[in-house]
Amino acid sequence: MTELPEALTLAKQLRDTVAGRSVARVEAGRSPHGFAFYSLPTEEYPAVLAGRPLGPAEAHGMFIFMSAGENALLLGDGINLRYYAEAAEAPPKHQLLLELEGGGALVCSVQMYGGMWACPGGVCDNPYYRTALEKPSPLSEAFDAAYFEGLLASAKPTLSAKAFLATEQRIPGLGNGSLQDILFTARVHPKAKLKDLPDLKLEALFTQTKALLADMAAKGGRNTEKDLFGKPGAYQSILSAKTAALPCPACGGPVTRQAYLGGNVYFCPNCQAL
Ligand SMILES: [Zn+2]
């Protein structure tokens, strides 16, 4: 799933590739998908998006926002977004296709679930998106130690480290993927309760959140995700489904995989002792 590092990468690639180009043709809902979400009946998408120039894309948390003339398109985190230089190269199955003037196409396909919201008047009325807009990005200066302490102070002390970092959009764009390496490098167990963590560990969570998200973004996202051209990111995930069978890179012990709070967590029970 797209998280902040990938959303930033995609937004930059979109700015470099399609910003300023007009949408020539729109096809929404071509391949039925039970968990593809639209803001309007799909037959209304062409009227909102076609014939309009795409503005420079912005990443907000896990979301990608692009104006289309006076209207806009908002993409959520479960969308595979690809650009094809020739529209004819686009795969036949998709949930949203924007053919561009001068050739080329943007294609959205939904993985497990995902939203592709056409926004008349440029207003995208999505509560998660609004939250992402309101809160400071973890890569911004506003997201400093004092801000992080404020987040900790307003969280229930019995909350686990995973619940604190990666649920309820508390930190926009930090999801279950980026989370694994942040917890590992901070040496914090996903289920450790905030009240049981010493100050040093809480500081490590803050430092690693900023440092790793910045590193992932600088490297064009994680290697478990693909960019606008279908290329995996250059950030090598330490703990993910890709590495679950490998020994812990710090101690050589086995890595544990567990379903916890919507998604698997990967951790080293030795390095990240509870
Ligand atoms: Zn270990």
Side-chain angles (χ1 to χ4, degrees), residues 184 248-253 268 270-272:
F184 178 74
C248 165
C251 73
C268 170
N270 179 40
C271 296
Q272 296 163 267

